[in-house]
Amino acid sequence: MNMSRPARALRHAAVTMSLLGSALATTPAVLPAQWSTVYEQFYLQAPHNWQFRTHYAHADRLFNAFDFGHAILYETLWRFPDKPAEELEVRRYDQLVKRVLPKPPRLPLEEGAIEPKYAQLAPEAKVMFDWAHLLHRQLYDVLADERLDWPRKDAEVARLLTYYRTRPELAFSRKPKTMALMQEQSYSLAFRKKYPKFNGLIWGYHWLQMGLYEPFMVGRTVEEKQAGVRATVTRFWQMLQDAPRSLPHQMPMTVVVAPRFAERYPEAAIIFDNLHSMHDVVSDILTNPAVPRSRKRAEILLAAQRYRDDTTEVMSVPAWRVMSEHMGAENMGGPAVGFLPALPIPSVTYGAVMRHDAQSGAMIGFGYGSAIGDAHAGHNMVAMPATPVKGAAADPHAGHAVPTASDSAQVAALVAGFHEALAQGDSTAALALLTPDVVIVESGAVESLAEYRAHHLPADVAFARAVKAERAPRQVTVAGDVAYSVATWASRGPLEARAADAAGAELIVARHTAAGWRIAAIHWSAPRPR
């Protein structure tokens, strides 16, 4: 009987799982107490299934290699905790980069056959990863299906996300999680410190997984999309040339690597950022000897619970965007589309730690998780002041603390919060972010706070609610108690039955006050449509 490739893959997976089940049946009696009942669930049936594999096979096969790499990593960390770092940094790394990635498997692998001991340790976490990876592959299929126009693609993405949420015991939260879960636990940073090259490879995987969405968002023809996918894959290979220096120095965030995808499908982008963050957490738990072997399963399950719930270490979507941007595109490998021939030069040491406020996205600390080479030796996590120095609160002009990365992030979060308030129609929240003596320069007029409230504010709220404005990456400069934010913007959409197409620049001046950073002046260079 002839079988299709997907059918043969399913049959192979079923046989593998059957053999694995037989092997587990002979294990000591202690294991059933650790085992949790889980079940397999496959693609949501749709005409677009396997479109990406059919038309972009060279990229699709890399994901099979990535799955192999993740499985080998967890199995090695769990089974051989006492082996020297060279086991992963040299032997396994070379196996992946020189043998597996150049000739990746043609079809997805059964990871349980590669990581049987880890699968026994934490099957719940393994299936969480599998379920999210399945969502990844189905979204590629939707975007790769040239028979679907954008409204139908949007509908299919929504249908897939609904399908994903039918497994709440497996689904990552749709709310962004702070970096505290990944970088501020007792076991955090162990993996990136001990295995910087392999950690960088994992981050490179995540860069490509997110980056391959972007060519489909910007390509206008099949040829442009094909060329974009090839360029993104080539960029990934470029990252491997001088590991770990050439690999991402920070965990790639979707907002930065694939900004158009994150803008159009924020729920999916958030799920994938949470997925990639938990990958790091599991690596840290397995690596850190401070977590006894008897506690590793419990810690992994606790982390999995935190990444599934909608309450633990949650931040707002605007704060997630600000945090991602201020981690630095240059530190994540750069964007997946429109990059320059040379790799970007990171602005932080490898594995730098950035802490932030959960609500605003503003960083409140900065340090280094690990170092590469003698030039960075000795750097450890450094606490930075989260509040103004004594005296600044009582007198807004008494002398703010020396500007830090925290200040620029707070100013960026302030500006993002102002635009978000306008878009939500919350004029009270928007006005609360302005100083009493604010100056608004707009449409050829200069207005005070009272004049702005009475005149242009209602029109700005109406415009922000009706029309989607896209802003270029924001530049923030801090000089003592004053900071300014510069960005360009473009908008397109209906407004009162007319097209609202406009473009311009925005300059916002912020001042540090007793209440923190507040907007003291705004200048929009292009008039708003009336």
Side-chain angles (χ1 to χ4, degrees):
M1 175 175 129
N2 293 328
M3 301 176 69
S4 66
R5 284 183 182 174
R8 290 199 300 272
L10 283 174
R11 182 177 180 182
H12 172 72
V15 171
T16 303
M17 290 304 294
S18 176
L19 293 173
L20 182 59
S22 299
L24 290 175
T26 64
T27 55
V30 67
L31 284 178
Q34 296 182 334
W35 192 261
S36 165
T37 301
V38 294
Y39 62 90
E40 296 290 335
Q41 192 164 339
F42 201 54
Y43 275 48
L44 176 64
Q45 292 186 2
H48 51 68
N49 291 159
W50 296 290
Q51 285 293 305
F52 186 76
R53 181 176 303 169
T54 299
H55 299 292
Y56 300 88
H58 67 291
D60 178 78
R61 292 177 187 176
L62 285 175
F63 298 142
N64 304 332
F66 294 173
D67 292 343
F68 179 84
H70 276 123
I72 282 294
L73 168 63
Y74 291 152
E75 188 74 355
T76 302
L77 290 175
W78 174 240
R79 290 185 62 189
F80 308 109
D82 298 325
K83 286 214 170 189
E86 288 74 15
E87 174 67 17
L88 282 173
E89 289 291 89
V90 178
R91 192 172 84 84
R92 289 301 190 183
Y93 181 90
D94 288 348
Q95 176 192 18
L96 289 168
V97 172
K98 296 178 181 179
R99 293 169 50 195
V100 180
L101 286 171
K103 295 183 179 180
R106 295 176 64 88
L107 293 173
L109 304 175
E110 173 44 55
E111 292 183 53
I114 304 168
E115 53 179 15
K117 294 300 182 182
Y118 171 74
Q120 294 174 38
L121 174 70
E124 302 90 343
K126 175 190 175 300
V127 183
M128 275 182 68
F129 289 144
D130 291 345
W131 189 230
H133 292 161
L134 199 65
L135 175 62
H136 254 312
R137 290 182 182 257
Q138 292 182 100
L139 291 181
Y140 295 128
D141 286 339
V142 170
L143 297 181
D145 193 337
E146 295 300 326
R147 297 167 298 182
L148 302 177
D149 57 17
W150 276 111
R152 293 169 66 196
K153 287 181 180 180
D154 292 344
E156 283 302 297
V157 170
R159 198 164 74 97
L160 289 173
L161 289 169
T162 300
Y163 180 61
Y164 178 75
R165 295 195 298 272
T166 62
R167 298 293 301 273
E169 78 282 11
L170 301 180
F172 284 87
S173 174
R174 295 178 287 166
K175 295 187 177 181
K177 299 288 184 173
T178 75
M179 284 293 173
L181 290 181
M182 188 178 83
Q183 299 185 155
E184 298 178 32
Q185 307 305 307
S186 60
Y187 47 72
S188 295
L189 313 181
F191 180 68
R192 71 179 71 174
K193 287 181 178 179
K194 187 173 181 179
Y195 305 104
K197 196 159 68 168
F198 208 105
N199 178 75
L201 178 62
I202 296 295
W203 281 349
Y205 287 177
H206 295 165
W207 182 91
L208 185 62
Q209 285 176 313
M210 300 314 308
L212 281 176
Y213 289 118
E214 204 70 348
F216 295 103
M217 308 304 295
V218 303
R220 293 165 296 180
T221 65
V222 175
E223 291 74 20
E224 287 183 357
K225 295 171 187 176
Q226 288 277 4
V229 168
R230 287 194 298 270
T232 304
V233 171
T234 300
R235 184 60 143 195
F236 168 74
W237 282 109
Q238 188 181 6
M239 291 180 180
L240 303 180
Q241 298 306 306
D242 185 25
R245 293 180 186 274
S246 54
L247 288 163
H249 282 35
Q250 290 278 290
M251 186 187 85
M253 303 294 290
T254 312
V255 167
V256 172
V257 176
R260 293 169 182 83
F261 175 81
E263 182 69 24
R264 193 174 193 108
Y265 304 121
E267 180 180 337
I270 290 166
I271 288 170
F272 294 141
D273 279 359
N274 289 339
L275 158 70
H276 295 157
S277 179
M278 185 174 156
H279 267 303
D280 279 28
V281 167
V282 172
S283 297
D284 284 336
I285 292 171
L286 293 175
T287 301
N288 200 324
V291 181
R293 286 181 71 80
S294 61
R295 283 287 306 164
K296 289 190 187 291
R297 169 176 163 78
E299 289 292 348
I300 290 173
L301 295 188
L302 176 59
Q305 175 187 326
R306 290 169 170 171
Y307 276 101
R308 289 194 306 267
D309 72 45
D310 291 336
T311 57
T312 306
E313 290 293 341
V314 170
M315 64 169 64
S316 68
V317 172
W320 163 67
R321 294 183 181 279
V322 170
M323 179 196 73
S324 299
E325 291 170 356
H326 278 264
M327 288 170 65
E330 71 280 4
N331 301 316
M332 304 179 196
V337 169
F339 48 78
L340 297 174
L343 287 166
I345 299 175
S347 59
V348 299
T349 56
Y350 181 87
V353 177
M354 296 185 183
R355 304 172 61 197
H356 57 276
D357 176 76
Q359 297 304 315
S360 70
M363 292 179 290
I364 60 173
F366 180 84
Y368 301 106
S370 64
I372 298 176
D374 295 339
H376 302 303
H379 286 279
N380 296 307
M381 186 169 176
V382 180
M384 301 293 278
T387 56
V389 293
K390 185 177 181 180
D395 180 359
H397 303 291
H400 181 45
V402 175
T404 69
S406 171
D407 289 307
S408 62
Q410 289 178 42
V411 172
L414 168 70
V415 176
F418 177 71
H419 286 298
E420 180 69 14
L422 293 179
Q424 296 296 323
D426 191 345
S427 59
T428 301
L431 291 171
L433 300 178
L434 309 179
T435 62
D437 59 347
V438 67
V439 174
I440 312 291
V441 181
E442 180 182 16
S443 301
V446 178
E447 297 180 328
S448 65
L449 178 62
E451 291 168 335
Y452 179 63
R453 181 191 294 115
H455 299 146
H456 279 161
L457 177 60
D460 287 343
V461 167
F463 185 89
R465 297 188 69 181
V467 179
K468 185 66 176 178
E470 295 183 0
R471 289 175 173 78
R474 187 172 302 283
Q475 297 179 0
V476 176
T477 301
V478 181
D481 289 330
V482 177
Y484 58 89
S485 163
V486 178
T488 57
W489 58 269
S491 63
R492 180 181 297 275
L495 182 63
E496 296 178 356
R498 298 192 306 275
D501 297 343
E506 172 188 273
L507 171 63
I508 292 183
V509 179
R511 187 171 70 235
H512 197 271
T513 72
W517 289 100
R518 291 294 181 268
I519 295 172
I522 302 174
H523 180 201
W524 285 302
S525 65
R528 301 286 190 181
R530 297 303 180 204

